[in-house]
Amino acid sequence: SSATNDAEMRQLFQIGLSTGADFTNGGKIELNEEKLKAAIEKDPEQVYQLFTNAESGLLPQIRDAAAASRSNITRIAGADGAGAPTYSMGREMTQIDTRIQRLNALLVDKENAYYRRFAAMETAMNQANSQAASLQQFLGGGM
């Protein structure tokens, strides 16, 4: 339904994704990094779901849309691609594929970076806790 779509669009907007004020820029998705960072700090799990959720996630939707438009073009242009226009279309498809792969790789990198950061924070906290505990023991034992 369009209600859930609206809600999802609002969510995407909250994490700093928008398509710009008009579609003259070819419907490019623009990213407000401050908003995205804030959203990740507030609720990393939800942001992750927003990107990857199988039903409503941004990446699967982009993949589906790309696959759909590709099969459309293939159907119209013929898979064997007769003639020059199809050739340039095929080339564009390959570029889109490459871009999607690159974006996926970027997201995985980002994800790993965040996981590393979380892990480092956890380690630091555990160290601080054990230091505090041994300090307490030391102080407590000296009484």
PDB file of all heavy atoms in Angstrom, residues 98-131:
ATOM      1  N   THR A  98      28.286  -2.847 -12.844  1.00  0.00           N
ATOM      2  CA  THR A  98      29.537  -2.522 -12.160  1.00  0.00           C
ATOM      3  C   THR A  98      29.269  -1.564 -11.016  1.00  0.00           C
ATOM      4  O   THR A  98      29.804  -1.726  -9.924  1.00  0.00           O
ATOM      5  CB  THR A  98      30.535  -1.862 -13.143  1.00  0.00           C
ATOM      6  OG1 THR A  98      30.531  -2.629 -14.347  1.00  0.00           O
ATOM      7  CG2 THR A  98      31.934  -1.833 -12.567  1.00  0.00           C
ATOM      8  N   ARG A  99      28.407  -0.576 -11.272  1.00  0.00           N
ATOM      9  CA  ARG A  99      28.122   0.412 -10.246  1.00  0.00           C
ATOM     10  C   ARG A  99      27.424  -0.232  -9.058  1.00  0.00           C
ATOM     11  O   ARG A  99      27.730   0.069  -7.911  1.00  0.00           O
ATOM     12  CB  ARG A  99      27.251   1.529 -10.828  1.00  0.00           C
ATOM     13  CG  ARG A  99      27.564   2.868 -10.205  1.00  0.00           C
ATOM     14  CD  ARG A  99      26.896   4.006 -10.938  1.00  0.00           C
ATOM     15  NE  ARG A  99      27.260   4.060 -12.346  1.00  0.00           N
ATOM     16  CZ  ARG A  99      26.517   4.647 -13.274  1.00  0.00           C
ATOM     17  NH1 ARG A  99      25.370   5.203 -12.952  1.00  0.00           N
ATOM     18  NH2 ARG A  99      26.910   4.690 -14.526  1.00  0.00           N
ATOM     19  N   ILE A 100      26.469  -1.127  -9.334  1.00  0.00           N
ATOM     20  CA  ILE A 100      25.758  -1.818  -8.249  1.00  0.00           C
ATOM     21  C   ILE A 100      26.740  -2.641  -7.433  1.00  0.00           C
ATOM     22  O   ILE A 100      26.719  -2.625  -6.210  1.00  0.00           O
ATOM     23  CB  ILE A 100      24.626  -2.703  -8.809  1.00  0.00           C
ATOM     24  CG1 ILE A 100      23.477  -1.821  -9.319  1.00  0.00           C
ATOM     25  CG2 ILE A 100      24.111  -3.662  -7.743  1.00  0.00           C
ATOM     26  CD1 ILE A 100      22.350  -2.588  -9.964  1.00  0.00           C
ATOM     27  N   GLN A 101      27.641  -3.355  -8.132  1.00  0.00           N
ATOM     28  CA  GLN A 101      28.637  -4.152  -7.412  1.00  0.00           C
ATOM     29  C   GLN A 101      29.499  -3.260  -6.542  1.00  0.00           C
ATOM     30  O   GLN A 101      29.808  -3.596  -5.397  1.00  0.00           O
ATOM     31  CB  GLN A 101      29.524  -4.915  -8.403  1.00  0.00           C
ATOM     32  CG  GLN A 101      28.869  -6.179  -8.932  1.00  0.00           C
ATOM     33  CD  GLN A 101      29.618  -6.741 -10.134  1.00  0.00           C
ATOM     34  OE1 GLN A 101      30.559  -6.123 -10.632  1.00  0.00           O
ATOM     35  NE2 GLN A 101      29.200  -7.896 -10.585  1.00  0.00           N
ATOM     36  N   ARG A 102      29.881  -2.096  -7.098  1.00  0.00           N
ATOM     37  CA  ARG A 102      30.743  -1.187  -6.350  1.00  0.00           C
ATOM     38  C   ARG A 102      30.009  -0.667  -5.119  1.00  0.00           C
ATOM     39  O   ARG A 102      30.574  -0.579  -4.034  1.00  0.00           O
ATOM     40  CB  ARG A 102      31.202  -0.036  -7.234  1.00  0.00           C
ATOM     41  CG  ARG A 102      32.670   0.283  -6.994  1.00  0.00           C
ATOM     42  CD  ARG A 102      33.188   1.442  -7.800  1.00  0.00           C
ATOM     43  NE  ARG A 102      32.237   1.894  -8.812  1.00  0.00           N
ATOM     44  CZ  ARG A 102      32.577   2.210 -10.046  1.00  0.00           C
ATOM     45  NH1 ARG A 102      33.819   2.118 -10.449  1.00  0.00           N
ATOM     46  NH2 ARG A 102      31.685   2.645 -10.910  1.00  0.00           N
ATOM     47  N   LEU A 103      28.726  -0.308  -5.291  1.00  0.00           N
ATOM     48  CA  LEU A 103      27.930   0.181  -4.166  1.00  0.00           C
ATOM     49  C   LEU A 103      27.791  -0.899  -3.102  1.00  0.00           C
ATOM     50  O   LEU A 103      27.906  -0.618  -1.909  1.00  0.00           O
ATOM     51  CB  LEU A 103      26.541   0.613  -4.648  1.00  0.00           C
ATOM     52  CG  LEU A 103      26.465   2.013  -5.238  1.00  0.00           C
ATOM     53  CD1 LEU A 103      25.086   2.241  -5.849  1.00  0.00           C
ATOM     54  CD2 LEU A 103      26.737   3.060  -4.166  1.00  0.00           C
ATOM     55  N   ASN A 104      27.535  -2.138  -3.547  1.00  0.00           N
ATOM     56  CA  ASN A 104      27.439  -3.239  -2.593  1.00  0.00           C
ATOM     57  C   ASN A 104      28.730  -3.380  -1.811  1.00  0.00           C
ATOM     58  O   ASN A 104      28.723  -3.518  -0.590  1.00  0.00           O
ATOM     59  CB  ASN A 104      27.142  -4.556  -3.320  1.00  0.00           C
ATOM     60  CG  ASN A 104      25.644  -4.782  -3.461  1.00  0.00           C
ATOM     61  OD1 ASN A 104      24.860  -4.266  -2.665  1.00  0.00           O
ATOM     62  ND2 ASN A 104      25.246  -5.526  -4.461  1.00  0.00           N
ATOM     63  N   ALA A 105      29.855  -3.332  -2.536  1.00  0.00           N
ATOM     64  CA  ALA A 105      31.161  -3.461  -1.897  1.00  0.00           C
ATOM     65  C   ALA A 105      31.367  -2.325  -0.898  1.00  0.00           C
ATOM     66  O   ALA A 105      31.854  -2.546   0.215  1.00  0.00           O
ATOM     67  CB  ALA A 105      32.269  -3.462  -2.943  1.00  0.00           C
ATOM     68  N   LEU A 106      30.970  -1.109  -1.304  1.00  0.00           N
ATOM     69  CA  LEU A 106      31.097   0.049  -0.411  1.00  0.00           C
ATOM     70  C   LEU A 106      30.303  -0.159   0.863  1.00  0.00           C
ATOM     71  O   LEU A 106      30.785   0.116   1.958  1.00  0.00           O
ATOM     72  CB  LEU A 106      30.593   1.304  -1.116  1.00  0.00           C
ATOM     73  CG  LEU A 106      31.627   2.145  -1.852  1.00  0.00           C
ATOM     74  CD1 LEU A 106      30.938   3.274  -2.602  1.00  0.00           C
ATOM     75  CD2 LEU A 106      32.648   2.715  -0.875  1.00  0.00           C
ATOM     76  N   LEU A 107      29.066  -0.651   0.704  1.00  0.00           N
ATOM     77  CA  LEU A 107      28.218  -0.870   1.873  1.00  0.00           C
ATOM     78  C   LEU A 107      28.828  -1.917   2.796  1.00  0.00           C
ATOM     79  O   LEU A 107      28.838  -1.758   4.013  1.00  0.00           O
ATOM     80  CB  LEU A 107      26.816  -1.317   1.436  1.00  0.00           C
ATOM     81  CG  LEU A 107      25.844  -0.175   1.225  1.00  0.00           C
ATOM     82  CD1 LEU A 107      24.580  -0.677   0.552  1.00  0.00           C
ATOM     83  CD2 LEU A 107      25.488   0.482   2.552  1.00  0.00           C
ATOM     84  N   VAL A 108      29.345  -2.997   2.193  1.00  0.00           N
ATOM     85  CA  VAL A 108      29.976  -4.046   3.000  1.00  0.00           C
ATOM     86  C   VAL A 108      31.171  -3.465   3.749  1.00  0.00           C
ATOM     87  O   VAL A 108      31.346  -3.707   4.940  1.00  0.00           O
ATOM     88  CB  VAL A 108      30.399  -5.245   2.116  1.00  0.00           C
ATOM     89  CG1 VAL A 108      31.263  -6.212   2.892  1.00  0.00           C
ATOM     90  CG2 VAL A 108      29.161  -5.954   1.581  1.00  0.00           C
ATOM     91  N   ASP A 109      31.976  -2.648   3.039  1.00  0.00           N
ATOM     92  CA  ASP A 109      33.112  -1.991   3.685  1.00  0.00           C
ATOM     93  C   ASP A 109      32.653  -1.148   4.861  1.00  0.00           C
ATOM     94  O   ASP A 109      33.202  -1.222   5.943  1.00  0.00           O
ATOM     95  CB  ASP A 109      33.848  -1.074   2.691  1.00  0.00           C
ATOM     96  CG  ASP A 109      34.729  -1.880   1.759  1.00  0.00           C
ATOM     97  OD1 ASP A 109      34.865  -3.100   1.993  1.00  0.00           O
ATOM     98  OD2 ASP A 109      35.268  -1.297   0.812  1.00  0.00           O
ATOM     99  N   LYS A 110      31.627  -0.323   4.625  1.00  0.00           N
ATOM    100  CA  LYS A 110      31.096   0.546   5.680  1.00  0.00           C
ATOM    101  C   LYS A 110      30.643  -0.291   6.868  1.00  0.00           C
ATOM    102  O   LYS A 110      30.940   0.011   8.012  1.00  0.00           O
ATOM    103  CB  LYS A 110      29.898   1.337   5.134  1.00  0.00           C
ATOM    104  CG  LYS A 110      30.261   2.707   4.589  1.00  0.00           C
ATOM    105  CD  LYS A 110      29.515   3.773   5.392  1.00  0.00           C
ATOM    106  CE  LYS A 110      29.797   5.185   4.953  1.00  0.00           C
ATOM    107  NZ  LYS A 110      31.174   5.519   4.688  1.00  0.00           N
ATOM    108  N   GLU A 111      29.889  -1.358   6.535  1.00  0.00           N
ATOM    109  CA  GLU A 111      29.356  -2.234   7.570  1.00  0.00           C
ATOM    110  C   GLU A 111      30.508  -2.794   8.397  1.00  0.00           C
ATOM    111  O   GLU A 111      30.486  -2.757   9.629  1.00  0.00           O
ATOM    112  CB  GLU A 111      28.608  -3.379   6.878  1.00  0.00           C
ATOM    113  CG  GLU A 111      27.586  -4.056   7.736  1.00  0.00           C
ATOM    114  CD  GLU A 111      26.943  -5.214   6.985  1.00  0.00           C
ATOM    115  OE1 GLU A 111      26.526  -4.997   5.823  1.00  0.00           O
ATOM    116  OE2 GLU A 111      26.891  -6.298   7.543  1.00  0.00           O
ATOM    117  N   ASN A 112      31.530  -3.306   7.702  1.00  0.00           N
ATOM    118  CA  ASN A 112      32.682  -3.874   8.406  1.00  0.00           C
ATOM    119  C   ASN A 112      33.376  -2.833   9.262  1.00  0.00           C
ATOM    120  O   ASN A 112      33.795  -3.115  10.381  1.00  0.00           O
ATOM    121  CB  ASN A 112      33.675  -4.480   7.407  1.00  0.00           C
ATOM    122  CG  ASN A 112      33.126  -5.751   6.782  1.00  0.00           C
ATOM    123  OD1 ASN A 112      32.258  -6.402   7.368  1.00  0.00           O
ATOM    124  ND2 ASN A 112      33.596  -6.096   5.605  1.00  0.00           N
ATOM    125  N   ALA A 113      33.473  -1.613   8.723  1.00  0.00           N
ATOM    126  CA  ALA A 113      34.105  -0.533   9.476  1.00  0.00           C
ATOM    127  C   ALA A 113      33.332  -0.280  10.763  1.00  0.00           C
ATOM    128  O   ALA A 113      33.931  -0.123  11.831  1.00  0.00           O
ATOM    129  CB  ALA A 113      34.185   0.728   8.631  1.00  0.00           C
ATOM    130  N   TYR A 114      31.983  -0.249  10.658  1.00  0.00           N
ATOM    131  CA  TYR A 114      31.175  -0.025  11.859  1.00  0.00           C
ATOM    132  C   TYR A 114      31.328  -1.178  12.836  1.00  0.00           C
ATOM    133  O   TYR A 114      31.462  -0.967  14.030  1.00  0.00           O
ATOM    134  CB  TYR A 114      29.699   0.182  11.490  1.00  0.00           C
ATOM    135  CG  TYR A 114      29.431   1.562  10.965  1.00  0.00           C
ATOM    136  CD1 TYR A 114      28.948   1.768   9.674  1.00  0.00           C
ATOM    137  CD2 TYR A 114      29.679   2.685  11.755  1.00  0.00           C
ATOM    138  CE1 TYR A 114      28.714   3.050   9.192  1.00  0.00           C
ATOM    139  CE2 TYR A 114      29.444   3.964  11.272  1.00  0.00           C
ATOM    140  CZ  TYR A 114      28.966   4.137   9.996  1.00  0.00           C
ATOM    141  OH  TYR A 114      28.740   5.397   9.522  1.00  0.00           O
ATOM    142  N   TYR A 115      31.321  -2.420  12.313  1.00  0.00           N
ATOM    143  CA  TYR A 115      31.500  -3.569  13.201  1.00  0.00           C
ATOM    144  C   TYR A 115      32.841  -3.480  13.922  1.00  0.00           C
ATOM    145  O   TYR A 115      32.934  -3.716  15.111  1.00  0.00           O
ATOM    146  CB  TYR A 115      31.423  -4.889  12.413  1.00  0.00           C
ATOM    147  CG  TYR A 115      30.006  -5.348  12.181  1.00  0.00           C
ATOM    148  CD1 TYR A 115      29.567  -5.702  10.906  1.00  0.00           C
ATOM    149  CD2 TYR A 115      29.095  -5.424  13.227  1.00  0.00           C
ATOM    150  CE1 TYR A 115      28.249  -6.107  10.682  1.00  0.00           C
ATOM    151  CE2 TYR A 115      27.787  -5.823  13.017  1.00  0.00           C
ATOM    152  CZ  TYR A 115      27.370  -6.171  11.750  1.00  0.00           C
ATOM    153  OH  TYR A 115      26.091  -6.573  11.530  1.00  0.00           O
ATOM    154  N   ARG A 116      33.898  -3.109  13.153  1.00  0.00           N
ATOM    155  CA  ARG A 116      35.217  -2.978  13.774  1.00  0.00           C
ATOM    156  C   ARG A 116      35.178  -1.941  14.871  1.00  0.00           C
ATOM    157  O   ARG A 116      35.732  -2.124  15.944  1.00  0.00           O
ATOM    158  CB  ARG A 116      36.259  -2.588  12.712  1.00  0.00           C
ATOM    159  CG  ARG A 116      36.851  -3.780  11.985  1.00  0.00           C
ATOM    160  CD  ARG A 116      38.163  -3.415  11.304  1.00  0.00           C
ATOM    161  NE  ARG A 116      38.007  -2.327  10.330  1.00  0.00           N
ATOM    162  CZ  ARG A 116      37.604  -2.503   9.077  1.00  0.00           C
ATOM    163  NH1 ARG A 116      37.328  -3.718   8.631  1.00  0.00           N
ATOM    164  NH2 ARG A 116      37.494  -1.481   8.258  1.00  0.00           N
ATOM    165  N   ARG A 117      34.479  -0.824  14.580  1.00  0.00           N
ATOM    166  CA  ARG A 117      34.412   0.251  15.567  1.00  0.00           C
ATOM    167  C   ARG A 117      33.674  -0.215  16.816  1.00  0.00           C
ATOM    168  O   ARG A 117      34.100   0.037  17.933  1.00  0.00           O
ATOM    169  CB  ARG A 117      33.705   1.466  14.955  1.00  0.00           C
ATOM    170  CG  ARG A 117      34.226   2.750  15.520  1.00  0.00           C
ATOM    171  CD  ARG A 117      33.679   3.946  14.789  1.00  0.00           C
ATOM    172  NE  ARG A 117      34.110   4.018  13.403  1.00  0.00           N
ATOM    173  CZ  ARG A 117      33.553   4.830  12.518  1.00  0.00           C
ATOM    174  NH1 ARG A 117      32.548   5.609  12.874  1.00  0.00           N
ATOM    175  NH2 ARG A 117      33.992   4.877  11.279  1.00  0.00           N
ATOM    176  N   PHE A 118      32.550  -0.926  16.619  1.00  0.00           N
ATOM    177  CA  PHE A 118      31.807  -1.463  17.759  1.00  0.00           C
ATOM    178  C   PHE A 118      32.692  -2.416  18.560  1.00  0.00           C
ATOM    179  O   PHE A 118      32.723  -2.371  19.781  1.00  0.00           O
ATOM    180  CB  PHE A 118      30.556  -2.220  17.284  1.00  0.00           C
ATOM    181  CG  PHE A 118      29.421  -1.303  16.894  1.00  0.00           C
ATOM    182  CD1 PHE A 118      28.687  -1.555  15.736  1.00  0.00           C
ATOM    183  CD2 PHE A 118      29.090  -0.216  17.663  1.00  0.00           C
ATOM    184  CE1 PHE A 118      27.641  -0.717  15.371  1.00  0.00           C
ATOM    185  CE2 PHE A 118      28.045   0.632  17.302  1.00  0.00           C
ATOM    186  CZ  PHE A 118      27.327   0.377  16.152  1.00  0.00           C
ATOM    187  N   ALA A 119      33.399  -3.284  17.845  1.00  0.00           N
ATOM    188  CA  ALA A 119      34.250  -4.275  18.511  1.00  0.00           C
ATOM    189  C   ALA A 119      35.328  -3.576  19.321  1.00  0.00           C
ATOM    190  O   ALA A 119      35.602  -3.939  20.472  1.00  0.00           O
ATOM    191  CB  ALA A 119      34.876  -5.218  17.480  1.00  0.00           C
ATOM    192  N   ALA A 120      35.936  -2.546  18.730  1.00  0.00           N
ATOM    193  CA  ALA A 120      36.988  -1.803  19.421  1.00  0.00           C
ATOM    194  C   ALA A 120      36.422  -1.136  20.671  1.00  0.00           C
ATOM    195  O   ALA A 120      37.050  -1.141  21.734  1.00  0.00           O
ATOM    196  CB  ALA A 120      37.594  -0.763  18.489  1.00  0.00           C
ATOM    197  N   MET A 121      35.217  -0.569  20.539  1.00  0.00           N
ATOM    198  CA  MET A 121      34.582   0.076  21.685  1.00  0.00           C
ATOM    199  C   MET A 121      34.326  -0.942  22.793  1.00  0.00           C
ATOM    200  O   MET A 121      34.581  -0.677  23.964  1.00  0.00           O
ATOM    201  CB  MET A 121      33.245   0.701  21.262  1.00  0.00           C
ATOM    202  CG  MET A 121      33.367   2.162  20.895  1.00  0.00           C
ATOM    203  SD  MET A 121      31.850   2.918  20.237  1.00  0.00           S
ATOM    204  CE  MET A 121      30.519   1.878  20.775  1.00  0.00           C
ATOM    205  N   GLU A 122      33.840  -2.118  22.388  1.00  0.00           N
ATOM    206  CA  GLU A 122      33.543  -3.166  23.368  1.00  0.00           C
ATOM    207  C   GLU A 122      34.805  -3.579  24.104  1.00  0.00           C
ATOM    208  O   GLU A 122      34.826  -3.703  25.321  1.00  0.00           O
ATOM    209  CB  GLU A 122      32.940  -4.376  22.642  1.00  0.00           C
ATOM    210  CG  GLU A 122      31.550  -4.680  23.119  1.00  0.00           C
ATOM    211  CD  GLU A 122      30.947  -5.851  22.363  1.00  0.00           C
ATOM    212  OE1 GLU A 122      31.498  -6.223  21.301  1.00  0.00           O
ATOM    213  OE2 GLU A 122      29.956  -6.392  22.836  1.00  0.00           O
ATOM    214  N   THR A 123      35.880  -3.797  23.323  1.00  0.00           N
ATOM    215  CA  THR A 123      37.151  -4.187  23.916  1.00  0.00           C
ATOM    216  C   THR A 123      37.610  -3.137  24.920  1.00  0.00           C
ATOM    217  O   THR A 123      37.983  -3.475  26.049  1.00  0.00           O
ATOM    218  CB  THR A 123      38.226  -4.349  22.812  1.00  0.00           C
ATOM    219  OG1 THR A 123      37.694  -5.176  21.789  1.00  0.00           O
ATOM    220  CG2 THR A 123      39.485  -4.977  23.366  1.00  0.00           C
ATOM    221  N   ALA A 124      37.544  -1.884  24.499  1.00  0.00           N
ATOM    222  CA  ALA A 124      37.978  -0.800  25.384  1.00  0.00           C
ATOM    223  C   ALA A 124      37.150  -0.772  26.661  1.00  0.00           C
ATOM    224  O   ALA A 124      37.687  -0.603  27.761  1.00  0.00           O
ATOM    225  CB  ALA A 124      37.866   0.532  24.650  1.00  0.00           C
ATOM    226  N   MET A 125      35.834  -0.973  26.510  1.00  0.00           N
ATOM    227  CA  MET A 125      34.958  -0.958  27.681  1.00  0.00           C
ATOM    228  C   MET A 125      35.273  -2.121  28.612  1.00  0.00           C
ATOM    229  O   MET A 125      35.338  -1.958  29.832  1.00  0.00           O
ATOM    230  CB  MET A 125      33.494  -1.005  27.250  1.00  0.00           C
ATOM    231  CG  MET A 125      32.948   0.371  26.886  1.00  0.00           C
ATOM    232  SD  MET A 125      31.402   0.291  25.970  1.00  0.00           S
ATOM    233  CE  MET A 125      30.388  -0.651  27.099  1.00  0.00           C
ATOM    234  N   ASN A 126      35.494  -3.296  28.027  1.00  0.00           N
ATOM    235  CA  ASN A 126      35.832  -4.466  28.845  1.00  0.00           C
ATOM    236  C   ASN A 126      37.133  -4.249  29.600  1.00  0.00           C
ATOM    237  O   ASN A 126      37.250  -4.591  30.780  1.00  0.00           O
ATOM    238  CB  ASN A 126      35.941  -5.723  27.982  1.00  0.00           C
ATOM    239  CG  ASN A 126      34.575  -6.178  27.488  1.00  0.00           C
ATOM    240  OD1 ASN A 126      33.552  -5.813  28.067  1.00  0.00           O
ATOM    241  ND2 ASN A 126      34.551  -6.962  26.422  1.00  0.00           N
ATOM    242  N   GLN A 127      38.131  -3.673  28.914  1.00  0.00           N
ATOM    243  CA  GLN A 127      39.405  -3.385  29.562  1.00  0.00           C
ATOM    244  C   GLN A 127      39.198  -2.421  30.714  1.00  0.00           C
ATOM    245  O   GLN A 127      39.700  -2.630  31.815  1.00  0.00           O
ATOM    246  CB  GLN A 127      40.400  -2.794  28.558  1.00  0.00           C
ATOM    247  CG  GLN A 127      41.091  -3.846  27.713  1.00  0.00           C
ATOM    248  CD  GLN A 127      41.942  -3.211  26.630  1.00  0.00           C
ATOM    249  OE1 GLN A 127      41.798  -2.036  26.329  1.00  0.00           O
ATOM    250  NE2 GLN A 127      42.823  -4.001  26.051  1.00  0.00           N
ATOM    251  N   ALA A 128      38.438  -1.362  30.459  1.00  0.00           N
ATOM    252  CA  ALA A 128      38.181  -0.364  31.497  1.00  0.00           C
ATOM    253  C   ALA A 128      37.493  -1.012  32.688  1.00  0.00           C
ATOM    254  O   ALA A 128      37.849  -0.753  33.843  1.00  0.00           O
ATOM    255  CB  ALA A 128      37.327   0.764  30.934  1.00  0.00           C
ATOM    256  N   ASN A 129      36.517  -1.890  32.395  1.00  0.00           N
ATOM    257  CA  ASN A 129      35.787  -2.564  33.474  1.00  0.00           C
ATOM    258  C   ASN A 129      36.708  -3.449  34.299  1.00  0.00           C
ATOM    259  O   ASN A 129      36.659  -3.431  35.523  1.00  0.00           O
ATOM    260  CB  ASN A 129      34.643  -3.407  32.907  1.00  0.00           C
ATOM    261  CG  ASN A 129      33.475  -2.534  32.476  1.00  0.00           C
ATOM    262  OD1 ASN A 129      33.363  -1.391  32.916  1.00  0.00           O
ATOM    263  ND2 ASN A 129      32.633  -3.056  31.612  1.00  0.00           N
ATOM    264  N   SER A 130      37.556  -4.231  33.628  1.00  0.00           N
ATOM    265  CA  SER A 130      38.422  -5.139  34.391  1.00  0.00           C
ATOM    266  C   SER A 130      39.454  -4.347  35.176  1.00  0.00           C
ATOM    267  O   SER A 130      39.833  -4.730  36.281  1.00  0.00           O
ATOM    268  CB  SER A 130      39.085  -6.171  33.475  1.00  0.00           C
ATOM    269  OG  SER A 130      39.992  -5.530  32.613  1.00  0.00           O
ATOM    270  N   GLN A 131      39.913  -3.218  34.617  1.00  0.00           N
ATOM    271  CA  GLN A 131      40.848  -2.369  35.354  1.00  0.00           C
ATOM    272  C   GLN A 131      40.164  -1.807  36.601  1.00  0.00           C
ATOM    273  O   GLN A 131      40.736  -1.801  37.689  1.00  0.00           O
ATOM    274  CB  GLN A 131      41.355  -1.222  34.474  1.00  0.00           C
ATOM    275  CG  GLN A 131      42.513  -1.640  33.583  1.00  0.00           C
ATOM    276  CD  GLN A 131      42.812  -0.608  32.505  1.00  0.00           C
ATOM    277  OE1 GLN A 131      42.144   0.417  32.435  1.00  0.00           O
ATOM    278  NE2 GLN A 131      43.798  -0.898  31.684  1.00  0.00           N
TER     279      GLN A 131
END
